[in-house]
Amino acid sequence: MYYSVPYEYVREQVEIRLTPDLLEFYFKDVRIASQEIGEYSTYTQHMPDHHRLYLAIKKCC
């Protein structure tokens, strides 16, 4: 399964901390995202604006 982090961190090395129920993503010791394991894996708020716009247009038409 794929999980997402905010697009600003593309190509950056992030640290992943795993618990039995949760994945946490850190960049330079700051938590940038967390997701429950098994939860839908890509959040639209992690996408750049133009990707969200494309999805909105595709969804409506």
Side-chain angles (χ1 to χ4, degrees):
M1 184 165 219
Y2 294 100
Y3 294 92
S4 69
V5 297
Y7 75 94
E8 296 90 354
Y9 300 96
V10 169
R11 300 178 201 253
E12 296 289 351
Q13 187 170 354
V14 299
E15 179 182 342
I16 300 171
R17 298 181 188 170
L18 176 65
T19 70
D21 302 316
L22 188 68
L23 283 170
E24 294 179 301
F25 301 88
Y26 289 82
F27 180 72
K28 296 184 178 180
D29 295 324
V30 175
R31 189 170 81 167
I32 57 171
S34 65
Q35 290 180 267
E36 291 183 20
I37 295 175
E39 190 177 81
Y40 190 75
S41 60
T42 303
Y43 293 134
T44 54
Q45 66 264 31
H46 288 170
M47 298 177 182
D49 292 338
H50 64 282
H51 285 206
R52 286 193 296 251
L53 179 60
Y54 171 79
L55 288 177
I57 292 170
K58 185 177 175 185
K59 190 176 188 180
C60 86
C61 305

